[in-house]
Amino acid sequence: MDPILAAAALSVVLGAVIAFVFFKSYLLKERSNVQAISEPELHSDPKKTSKPQHVPKKYHSKPHSHASDKEQSKRHHPLDLNTLKGHADSVTGMCFSSDGRNLATACADGVVRVFKLDDASSKSFKFLRINVPLGGHAVAVAFADDSSSVVVASQTVTGCSLYMYGEENPKKGSTDSNQQSKLPLPQVKWEHHKIHDKQAILTLTRATASYGTGDGSTIIASCSEGTDILLWHGRTGKVLGHVDTNQLKNTMATISPNGRFLAAAAFTADIWEIVYAKDGSVKEVLNVMQLKGHKSAVTWLCFSPNSEQIITTSKDGSIRVWNINVRYHLSEDPKTLKVFPIPFHDSSGSALHYDRLSLSPDGKILAATRGPTLQWLCLETGKVLDAAEKAHDGDITWITWCPKTMPLGNEQVVILATASVDKKVKLWAAPSVTS
């Protein structure tokens, strides 16, 4: 063999041996490192091993059964407590029961869901499913008698219908504390069709007739997209009254908490008094006041808890607080107590208007929305207490406060619920009000 070729062959062999030894040593070292990483640190600092025990439980447990891991990661706002999912379409309306233990939702998928809310931090919530008749989709819902029955507005191509679903055999005089939280059974007790001709229902609100000689029954107001508003007896379905706003079209209507006044927002805001007879029945509904002062259309309004004040918001970029505890029978007009500029502006700095308002049960915090944005305002000063610029992944369709505090673990908190076209309902804690 040529000496040169022999030397080259020897060099190749030696190089292969050296490379083999090197890579073998490298692979053994890496294997040792991998084993060291995969094995628990049995001799690490005790404080480090116990650290996971102090991480809040919600980060260890499975997410809310109605929320995915993605939803948990997106929940960044400190006041965002929980999300109710499971709706297959836009959530169009909501209502808490008077005891605050149930939340009814109306959804465009044709289903009304009544959630039982034992704790705002629950991983899952039991709910009753009520399917509206075929061809309709639920647009609004209101409890008729506490949590034992619900009134549902269903929209079809031929018009809007009202259905009252209640218990099959309500137990009267029961002293069982669990009776108050019992969910309604889906039995139709009464129904009315084409109640506003072919016009849609914009809002469905309720109140207890506790003023004057009112008999304590539930009164429900259905507001159409036209100019008419109807009052209904929650338990019997009897029509109690009818009013016409005589304006271009309605925006919304609501009843004062004590059942004394009916207020509607159109271009202006009008107020009617619900007059009760001595036997507690509704005698008549009289137009008694008009809120004059806004320079443009009123987009929403709500009553104070004591039914003596009204808060309005307008396209003129302002919020007004009115005193309606006046002698209107002597032609005394409602008085403007406060005027606040809406703290909401577009990119050019122009003031925007709110879509919806809702006042907290203590009358201190005004929740307001525009599109997907949620703000909490101090009613005393008009200043923003907190805000969620993207509270939902779509426009907010309804907001309502729970009338009672709700358990949140070992605490009792004030809760606001919001619904949206994003098929979700969210529960929010109320921000603190600093003096």
Side-chain angles (χ1 to χ4, degrees), residues 111-116 126-130 183-186:
V111 179
V112 170
R113 296 165 177 84
V114 184
F115 292 87
K116 185 173 177 60
K126 295 180 180 179
F127 68 92
L128 175 69
R129 179 188 177 102
I130 302 175
L183 296 177
L185 298 175

Side-chain angles (χ1 to χ4, degrees), residues 248-265:
L248 184 61
K249 63 178 181 177
N250 299 332
T251 301
M252 56 80 64
T254 189
I255 310 175
S256 63
N258 63 3
R260 182 183 182 187
F261 296 116
L262 169 69

